[in-house]
C-alpha cells in the first residue's frame, strides 16, 4: 500500500487534491481512498488530507502516520506543524515553492532522503497563470505524477475533468501538465549533475 499525506491550509483545495489523486488511481485500475482531517475548519487554518493507493481493497480507515509521500501545498507550514513526521526513509517529498530545500530551512533534514525523490515546484504561480487563482492542488498532482511515477499525467487529467468541467477543468489540466514537465526537468537535471 502506498500512503500519501497532503498538508496545506483551508481554502487551498487540500481535500479536493486528495480526492483527485484517488480518482487518478481508480482510473489506472487501483484501489484508493481519500479523506480529510480537520482541526478548526476555517480558511487559512492548517488542513491535512490523506490518500491510500493499493492493488487490493483498502480496509484501513485511520490517518496516515507513516506516509510514503508528502505533498506540501503551503511551505509556511514547514516550521509550524510536524510535516515530515513519520515519513518513510524511501519517501517522496513535493513542496509548492520557488525556493530550494536549503532556502526553505529544511535542507539538513531532507539530506537523509533520496535526492531524486525530493522536488519543489512553483505550483501556486503555475496555477495563477492557468487558472487565474493561486490554487496549487491540480498542479501539485501533475508534479506528483512526475516525481513518483505512481500515477500517469493522463490519469491526473481524467481526475481533474471528473471533478471540474469546462474552462476550469482545462485550465487545471494545463497547470498539471506544466508542473509535470517542471518536475520532470528538475529530476533530469539532478541525474545529469550526479553523472558529472
Amino acid at each position: 500500500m502506498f500512503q500519501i499525506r497532503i498538508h496545506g491550509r483551508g481554502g487551498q483545495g487540500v481535500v479536493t487534491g486528495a480526492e483527485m489523486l484517488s480518482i487518478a488511481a481508480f482510473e489506472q485500475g487501483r484501489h484508493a481512498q481519500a479523506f480529510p482531517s480537520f482541526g478548526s475548519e476555517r480558511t487559512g487554518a492548517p488542513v491535512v488530507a490523506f490518500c491510500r493507493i493499493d492493488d487490493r481493497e483498502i480496509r484501513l480507515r485511520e490517518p496516515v502516520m507513516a506516509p510514503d509521500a508528502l505533498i506540501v501545498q503551503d511551505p509556511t507550514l514547514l516550521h509550524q506543524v510536524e510535516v515530515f513526521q513519520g515519513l518513510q526513509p524511501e519517501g517522496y517529498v513535493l513542496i509548492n515553492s520557488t525556493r530550494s530545500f536549503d532556502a526553505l530551512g529544511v535542507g539538513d533534514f531532507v539530506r537523509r532522503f533520496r535526492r531524486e525523490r525530493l522536488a519543489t515546484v512553483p505550483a501556486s504561480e503555475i496555477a495563477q497563470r492557468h487558472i487565474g487563482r493561486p490554487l496549487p492542488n491540480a498542479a501539485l498532482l501533475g508534479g506528483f505524477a512526475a516525481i513518483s511515477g505512481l500515477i500517469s499525467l493522463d490519469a491526473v487529467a481524467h481526475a481533474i475533468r471528473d471533478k471540474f468541467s469546462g474552462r476550469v477543468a482545462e485550465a487545471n489540466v494545463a497547470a498539471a501538465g506544466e508542473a509535470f514537465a517542471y518536475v520532470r526537468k528538475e529530476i533530469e537535471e539532478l541525474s545529469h549533475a550526479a553523472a558529472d
Side-chain angles (χ1 to χ4, degrees):
M1 183 180 320
F2 195 93
Q3 303 186 99
I4 303 115
R5 195 166 66 211
I6 305 173
H7 291 268
R9 293 190 182 276
Q12 289 184 323
V14 176
V15 176
T16 302
E19 290 171 356
M20 289 190 294
L21 186 52
S22 70
I23 292 167
F26 278 128
E27 171 68 12
Q28 294 191 234
R30 316 275 302 275
H31 291 271
Q33 68 173 207
F35 57 99
S37 172
F38 292 106
S40 56
E41 296 184 47
R42 66 179 199 280
T43 300
V47 175
V48 181
F50 311 100
C51 182
R52 289 189 173 98
I53 300 172
D54 203 345
D55 292 324
R56 295 189 290 274
E57 185 179 345
I58 300 168
R59 298 186 184 277
L60 283 176
R61 292 289 181 258
E62 66 265 10
V64 172
M65 303 309 287
D68 298 294
L70 291 172
I71 299 174
V72 182
Q73 292 198 175
D74 190 325
T76 64
L77 293 169
L78 293 171
H79 303 289
Q80 291 182 4
V81 296
E82 293 292 327
V83 170
F84 296 106
Q85 187 174 26
L87 180 62
Q88 297 299 301
E90 296 290 306
Y92 295 88
V93 177
L94 181 65
I95 300 176
N96 172 22
S97 181
T98 58
R99 300 163 67 198
S100 69
F101 286 97
D102 286 329
L104 289 167
V106 294
D108 288 340
F109 175 80
V110 297
R111 284 191 220 341
R112 295 187 258 165
F113 298 91
R114 290 174 52 184
R115 182 60 189 98
E116 71 276 9
R117 294 187 173 196
L118 312 171
T120 60
V121 59
S124 291
E125 286 84 348
I126 291 171
Q128 182 70 47
R129 272 197 303 281
H130 291 281
I131 305 162
R133 295 174 61 200
L135 294 173
N137 57 0
L140 284 166
L141 293 185
F144 179 72
I147 197 171
S148 70
L150 188 68
I151 53 173
S152 70
L153 184 58
D154 284 344
V156 169
H158 171 85
I160 292 167
R161 290 183 180 116
D162 187 75
K163 200 78 178 157
F164 303 107
S165 62
R167 194 193 94 59
V168 172
E170 296 316 308
N172 276 287
V173 167
E178 183 178 335
F180 181 91
Y182 184 98
V183 171
R184 213 13 104 75
K185 184 172 184 256
E186 194 173 332
I187 293 166
E188 285 171 12
E189 287 172 357
L190 183 67
S191 65
H192 289 311
D196 290 345

